[in-house]
Amino acid sequence: MSSFDPAFRPIRVAVDIGGTFTDLQIFDARSTQVHAWKTPTTPADPSIGLMKGLGEAAQRFGFTLADIGLLLHGTTIATNAVLERRLARGVLVTTAGFEDVLEINRHVRRDIYGLAPDPLPTLIPRDRRLGVLERMRADGSVETPLDQVALQGLVERIAALDGEAVAVTLLNSHANPAHERLLAAHIGDALPGLPVSISADVSPEIREYERSSTTVLNALLVPVVRAYLDRLERRIGEDGFSPSIFLVQSNGGVCSLRVAAEQPARLLLSGPSGGVLAAARIARMLGRGDLVAVDMGGTSFDVSVIRDGRGSIITQGEIDRLPVRLPMVEMRTIGAGGGSIASVDASGRLTVGPRSAGATPGPVAYGRGGKEPTVTDTNLALGRIDPDYFLGGTMQLDMPAARAAIADRVGAHLGLGLEQAAEGILAVTNAGLGAAIRLSLFEKGLDPRDFALLSFGGAGGLHATDVAAELGIREVVFPRDPGTLSAYGILFADLAQDLARSRLLRVESGQLAAIAEAVAALREEADARLARDGVAPSDRRIEIAADMRYHGQAFELLIPWGEIAAPDEAALARLAADFHATHRQRFSYANPDEPVEIVTLRATAIGRLQKPEPGVASPAPRPARKGTRRAYEGGAWRELPVWDRDALTAGSTIEGPAIVEEAFATHWIGRGWSARLGEAGALIATRDSNGEAP
C-alpha cells in the first residue's frame, strides 16, 4: 500500500465535497501546519471543483500538485445520486416467488392516519425483477439446486431489458452464498462489463427486505460512482498530480478506489462521517468525553453524539426512506443549513427548509440568480455576517438584495417589518435545530445539560449559543477551522472494511466453541482483506462486535467486543454484561435472567495510516479586536464588538453579544455568554451561572 511519505511528497490533503462547498484541509509536513480552504462545489462534475480547490490552495499555501502524496476524499456523490434519482437502470435477480420483496417491505406507515399514504420508494420496477428457480434453507443447506438450464434464458432476459447494473439477492444467501456466486459468474461471463452486485458481498445478513434494498442501492450506484472515479483518475498526471487516493466510507474509515467502485453503497455518509471523526478527536484533546456535535453547512444540519470520546456506529440507516443495512456512523440529519429557504405557505405559516438554494443559484446574496431568502441571507440582513469578509473576503455578498428578498417574500406576507421577519426566520431555524438535538439525546436516555455543544460547519457558529441556551447546555466549543472540520476529521482517518456474518447463537457456555469458531473465521477474512490492500501486519487491527438481543425480540443492539481473538467464558460473560447495561441505558430496563442471543457477528478490519502531527498555530500579529459592526440584537440595532479569531490570545475575553470572525466561519456569541481560548486553539463559550443575560 502506498503511504504518506513526507520526505518524498510532503502534502497530505483531506477533502469533503458537500452540496454547496468543497472543503479542504491541507497538512504540510515541512512546516507541520494545517491549512483550511473552501471553494464552491461544481455539482455537474465534482472533480472540477476539487481540482480547482487544490489549485487555489497550492497557490495560497506554497506547494505544487506534485507535492501531494495522499488524498483522502469524502464525497456526497452517492447520496445525491439517490436523492436526485440519478441512478443506473437496474435489474434484480432473486429467488422465484420473492420478486416483490421490495414492494412488500415492512408495511411501515409513517403517517398512520393518512388515507393515502405515500408508498415507500421502489427503485426497480416489477418488469425488471426476475425470479430464478433455486432455494437455500435457513441453515444453508440446499433445498432446490440452481437450475442450470434456466440460466441461459435468464441472461437473455437481462440483456433484453438493457440493464446497466444487476443486483442478485437470493433467499437465505447469508447462510450459503454458493448460488449467488454461481449466478454472478455466469452473468459476468455472458455479459462482460455489466456490473453485478451480490448480497453475499454487500450485506450478508438476515432480513430479506433490508438486504435486498441495500444490494439494489449498491448495484444502481456502481455505474454512477465508477464514472466519477474514472473522471478523477483521468486527472491524475495533470501538473504532476499523482497521489495515493482513498475514499471515505460511512463507517468513518477510508477505502481504496477498488473497494469504492465495487461497493459504493458504503459511501452514502462519506462526507458527514468525517465530522464525527473530528468531534471524537477534539473530545479527547479537550478532555471532554461527552459532546453533542452539530455540523451546519449549506444544505443540512447533522447531529452526532460523542460519549467517552467516541462516536457511535449503527448497523442500519436509511436514505430517502430506503433502508441501508451497512455499518455507518450514527447521526441525525435535517434539511437546515445556510442555504435553507425561508417561505410562507398558503396557511400563513413561516417555514425554513428543507428546500435549499444549494450552490447554484445559492442564497440571494450570492448574486447568482437566487430569488428566495435563505438563512445566510437572514444572518447577513441582521448584520451578523460581514458582506465584505465572506469566505475570508474572497466573495462579496449583496446585502441590499438579501434584505429586499426577506421583506418581499416573508415580511410582506406576514405583515412584519424586515427585522421582525428576519428574527422570525432565525427563531424557526433555531427551534428546528434544537429539536433535532433533543431527539438525538432523548432517544438514548441522555440529558442535554450533561453535554457540551461542539459547533462546526460554515453556518453553525451563527446559531450555536442561541440553540444551546434553548437546550440548557452551558458550554459551546468552536474548534479551529470549523467550516472545514469534516475534512479535518478525514485527515486522521484509517483504512477500514466491515465484515458481517449472521448466525443465531445463544450467549452461553454450550455455544462458546461455535462463537469462537465464527470469530476466528471473521478475523481470518478481515486479515486477508487488509493484506490485499497492502497493509503491513504491524499496522493491522481487527475489532469484533455483535448484534445482540433477548430471545424473542425483533431488534438488536450493537455491542463492541474489542480486539477479542479467542473468547473464553470470562469474555462471553463480559459481552453479556455489556449487553444488559446497554439495554438498560437505552430502554430503562434489563432482564439479566433472560436468554441472550447473538444474531450477527461483525469485524472491522482497520489498516492504520501514518498520522500527521500538526503544529500549534501562533496568534496572528494583529489586534484581536477588529472594531465594531452594526447588528440587530435584542429588538434594536446596536454597535457590537467584532473579534478576529486568528489573532485571539489566551488572555482574550469576549463578552456577548459579540461577533467572532475567521476566514470560513462567523460565530455569534449571544447575550449572557463569554468566550475564551482553550486547548488546541478551541474557542470555548460558557453561559453565565444564573443562565440569564447580564
Side-chain angles (χ1 to χ4, degrees):
M1 178 184 66
S2 298
S3 60
F4 176 60
D5 183 356
F8 177 53
R9 292 186 175 180
I11 304 298
R12 177 186 188 124
V13 177
V15 57
D16 174 23
I17 300 181
T20 306
F21 287 102
T22 294
D23 301 337
L24 295 93
Q25 284 266 336
I26 302 103
F27 172 70
D28 189 334
R30 298 168 298 190
S31 64
T32 73
Q33 293 300 301
V34 175
H35 307 289
W37 191 250
K38 223 174 173 70
T39 193
T41 294
T42 51
D45 181 357
S47 68
I48 296 174
L50 168 61
M51 295 305 298
K52 180 174 182 289
L54 288 173
E56 293 169 345
Q59 185 174 7
R60 176 70 175 267
F61 302 118
F63 64 90
T64 68
L65 295 185
D67 291 330
I68 302 174
L70 185 62
L71 177 65
L72 304 175
H73 184 349
T75 176
T76 57
I77 290 169
T79 306
N80 292 340
V82 176
L83 295 177
E84 299 168 14
R85 294 296 189 267
R86 293 183 292 102
L87 298 167
R89 178 182 173 86
V91 176
L92 172 64
V93 177
T94 188
T95 304
F98 289 83
E99 296 91 341
D100 297 319
V101 164
L102 291 178
E103 282 184 287
I104 295 171
N105 58 68
R106 290 289 173 192
H107 284 291
V108 175
R109 290 185 60 152
R110 301 198 177 203
D111 183 2
I112 60 174
Y113 300 111
L115 297 179
D118 186 19
L120 291 173
T122 303
L123 297 181
I124 297 182
R126 184 63 178 83
D127 64 341
R128 287 192 270 127
R129 302 199 297 265
L130 310 179
V132 60
L133 188 62
E134 67 84 40
R135 188 67 174 264
M136 289 286 181
R137 297 189 181 98
D139 63 1
S141 61
V142 178
E143 178 175 306
T144 304
L146 187 63
D147 188 346
Q148 297 287 336
V149 176
L151 285 181
Q152 183 57 40
L154 175 68
V155 168
E156 292 172 358
R157 293 169 68 192
I158 293 172
L161 290 170
D162 195 25
E164 297 172 324
V166 176
V168 180
T169 61
L170 302 181
L171 191 67
N172 292 322
S173 63
H174 65 276
N176 184 348
H179 287 178
E180 283 195 354
R181 299 201 184 282
L182 281 172
L183 272 171
H186 189 85
I187 295 170
D189 289 342
L191 301 171
L194 180 65
V196 180
S197 296
I198 64 174
S199 70
D201 289 338
V202 177
S203 182
E205 302 183 38
I206 62 171
R207 297 191 172 93
E208 297 305 310
Y209 171 54
E210 290 78 7
R211 184 159 57 89
S212 298
S213 173
T214 305
T215 308
V216 165
L217 269 173
N218 190 84
L220 303 190
L221 284 169
V222 168
V224 176
V225 172
R226 281 186 179 174
Y228 172 72
L229 295 180
D230 288 344
R231 291 195 298 270
L232 183 61
E233 287 188 303
R234 282 198 295 270
R235 297 187 183 279
I236 293 178
E238 293 180 9
D239 298 322
F241 177 66
S242 57
S244 298
I245 303 176
F246 296 96
L247 267 69
V248 184
Q249 303 173 98
S250 302
N251 63 5
V254 298
C255 65
S256 65
L257 297 184
R258 172 186 56 81
V259 172
E262 293 173 355
Q263 298 193 16
R266 297 185 182 275
L267 308 179
L268 285 167
L269 285 184
S270 175
S273 66
V276 180
L277 292 175
R281 178 178 173 84
I282 290 168
R284 296 190 293 269
M285 291 169 66
L286 296 179
R288 289 165 172 79
D290 295 343
L291 295 175
V292 55
V294 296
D295 177 3
M296 186 175 182
T299 57
S300 64
F301 179 77
D302 302 324
V303 183
S304 54
V305 178
I306 306 298
R307 300 204 69 198
D308 299 324
R310 298 191 65 174
S312 299
I313 296 291
I314 56 175
T315 57
Q316 180 174 311
E318 67 173 41
I319 177 169
D320 196 22
R321 304 190 297 158
L322 296 161
V324 182
R325 188 76 176 170
L326 290 170
M328 58 185 64
V329 295
E330 184 177 18
M331 66 175 58
R332 171 165 277 103
T333 300
I334 63 172
S340 293
I341 292 170
S343 61
V344 179
D345 65 19
S347 67
R349 183 172 64 107
L350 174 61
T351 63
V352 182
R355 289 193 306 127
S356 174
T360 305
V364 175
Y366 284 11
R368 297 175 179 164
K371 302 297 182 184
E372 298 178 281
T374 67
V375 174
T376 294
D377 293 313
T378 303
N379 280 304
L380 176 67
L382 293 177
R384 299 187 179 193
I385 297 175
D386 185 346
D388 299 321
Y389 193 65
F390 193 67
L391 298 184
T394 62
M395 184 174 179
Q396 297 290 115
L397 298 182
D398 188 341
M399 180 181 281
R403 291 172 61 85
I406 294 169
D408 294 343
R409 301 272 182 146
V410 176
H413 291 282
L414 297 176
L416 297 175
L418 169 65
E419 290 81 6
Q420 289 71 36
E423 283 195 319
I425 293 171
L426 291 189
V428 171
T429 301
N430 292 340
L433 307 185
I437 296 171
R438 279 195 191 92
L439 186 55
S440 296
L441 293 171
F442 288 176
E443 68 184 6
K444 296 179 176 62
L446 303 174
D447 189 334
R449 294 171 296 183
D450 296 331
F451 287 76
L453 182 70
L454 176 69
S455 169
F456 59 101
L462 288 160
H463 302 265
T465 56
D466 289 344
V467 172
E470 181 179 324
L471 296 169
I473 293 175
R474 310 194 70 86
E475 185 175 78
V476 175
V477 178
F478 301 99
R480 290 189 62 86
D481 298 320
T484 58
L485 197 76
S486 288
Y488 174 81
I490 292 169
L491 202 62
F492 300 92
D494 285 317
L495 279 169
Q497 290 198 54
D498 293 299
L499 298 84
R501 293 293 178 269
S502 287
R503 186 175 175 186
L504 285 176
L505 296 165
R506 285 284 181 95
V507 182
E508 56 189 29
S509 299
Q511 294 290 318
L512 182 58
I515 293 171
E517 179 186 355
V519 168
L522 271 176
R523 291 185 62 89
E524 182 179 358
E525 185 177 349
D527 194 65
R529 290 197 182 187
L530 291 173
R532 191 160 61 245
D533 278 338
V535 180
S538 59
D539 290 328
R540 301 175 194 171
R541 188 171 82 249
I542 300 170
E543 297 181 351
I544 303 296
D547 293 359
M548 302 175 68
R549 69 186 183 190
Y550 291 117
H551 178 68
Q553 279 184 328
F555 60 90
E556 299 84 47
L557 294 175
L558 178 65
I559 308 299
W561 209 0
E563 296 183 64
I564 189 81
D568 54 17
E569 295 276 2
L572 200 62
R574 187 180 71 250
L575 180 67
D578 288 347
F579 168 75
H580 293 307
T582 303
H583 199 283
R584 183 181 300 280
Q585 189 272 322
R586 184 68 62 90
F587 303 111
S588 300
Y589 76 95
N591 296 321
D593 296 328
E594 289 290 317
V596 177
E597 297 174 335
I598 292 173
V599 177
T600 301
L601 279 167
R602 301 181 183 277
T604 302
I606 300 170
R608 287 184 286 261
L609 294 178
Q610 184 177 348
K611 297 293 185 296
E613 296 183 5
V616 178
S618 301
R622 54 180 182 262
R625 177 92 173 247
K626 296 177 72 172
T628 63
R629 184 160 72 243
R630 190 168 178 264
Y632 196 81
E633 188 273 338
W637 286 96
R638 310 174 192 275
E639 288 292 327
L640 299 184
V642 179
W643 295 79
D644 183 343
R645 168 72 179 266
D646 294 333
L648 293 176
T649 64
S652 303
T653 299
I654 301 169
E655 299 290 345
I659 298 167
V660 181
E661 293 181 337
E662 54 186 293
F664 301 119
T666 300
H667 310 297
W668 173 260
I669 309 300
R671 187 175 293 271
W673 293 79
S674 60
R676 297 174 180 84
L677 279 182
E679 294 294 325
L683 181 64
I684 299 175
T686 54
R687 199 176 182 203
D688 288 351
S689 58
N690 61 8
E692 300 294 332

